[in-house]
């Protein structure tokens, strides 16, 4: 199976590529190349799995553009959105992993006097993509992750009030990040299944950089993809 793994920044791509490296002594940046538009890609090869790890940019629009570019240039069986993000407490503490059972555009819509209406309620499309249920469940089990919705936001939550409002609209949410829905939109346009996995670097809520655990989250991302690689290979063999 050939999978496209889309990250936002180089540090996330390096962490994913490290997890997908067959031998610990292999350099993470081996077989790197750059796509038109300046998108860097790492190629990793495991038994039954070829993975291209793309640095697609920050935010849903950049992620959609980078993903669409990669999908136009090669054939893939699966698209994975991966990186770090905020976790809803106490279910997803810093250093843990969340695998999405739903990829949700959490702030795409309109404010009204009666509250927020998402784009689907407005009649302008859809606001949720669903990963294959079997794959998401197996990925969560293999990585020890929480299986829960992951929210895509264009503005990271930074206050207690906004965190409470977001949690009230999405009470089952496990994490928030900025790229998943954009990646999923591009995958859907190409008729491909999508998966999202997030390593939690901070709690969703008041912005406190001293409490961020980015190093721990990147390490968790590497460990997660070390466990995830065989799951993707097995799933691909059954569904291709």
């Amino acid at each position: 199976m050939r999978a496209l793994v889309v990250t936002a920044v180089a540090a996330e791509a390096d962490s994913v590529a490290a997890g997908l490296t067959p031998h610990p002594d292999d350099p993470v940046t081996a077989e790197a190349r750059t796509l038109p538009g300046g998108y860097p890609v790492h190629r990793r090869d495991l038994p039954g799995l070829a993975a291209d790890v793309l640095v697609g940019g920050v935010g849903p629009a950049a992620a959609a553009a980078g993903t669409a570019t990669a999908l136009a240039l090669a054939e893939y069986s699966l698209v994975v959105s991966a990186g770090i993000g905020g976790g809803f407490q106490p279910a997803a503490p810093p250093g843990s992993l969340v695998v999405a059972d739903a990829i949700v555009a959490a702030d795409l819509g309109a404010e009204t006097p009666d509250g927020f209406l998402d784009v689907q309620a407005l009649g302008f499309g859809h606001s949720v993509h669903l990963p294959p249920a079997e794959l998401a469940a197996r990925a969560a089990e293999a990585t020890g992750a929480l299986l829960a919705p992951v929210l895509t936001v264009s503005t990271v939550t930074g206050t207690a009030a906004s965190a409470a409002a977001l949690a009230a609209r999405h009470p089952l949410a496990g994490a928030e990040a900025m790229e998943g829905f954009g990646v999923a939109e591009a995958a859907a346009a190409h008729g491909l299944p999508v998966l999202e996995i997030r390593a939690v670097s901070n709690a969703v809520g008041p912005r406190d950089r001293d409490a961020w655990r980015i190093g721990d989250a990147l390490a968790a991302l590497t460990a997660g993809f070390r466990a995830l690689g065989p799951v993707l290979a097995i799933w691909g063999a059954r569904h291709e």
Side-chain angles (χ1 to χ4, degrees), residues 50-139:
D52 290 338
V53 186
L54 169 73
V55 181
V58 175
T67 304
T69 298
L71 293 179
L73 295 173
E75 292 187 4
Y76 295 95
S77 304
L78 174 71
V79 181
V80 183
S81 177
I84 65 176
F88 287 89
Q89 305 305 300
S96 67
L97 294 170
V98 180
V99 169
D101 59 8
I103 301 171
V104 183
D107 59 4
L108 181 61
E111 292 183 339
T112 78
D114 297 320
F116 178 81
L117 290 178
D118 64 34
V119 70
Q120 185 167 328
L122 293 170
F124 297 131
H126 52 270
S127 57
V128 179
H129 287 282
L130 298 178
E134 177 194 0
L135 175 60
R138 291 185 180 276

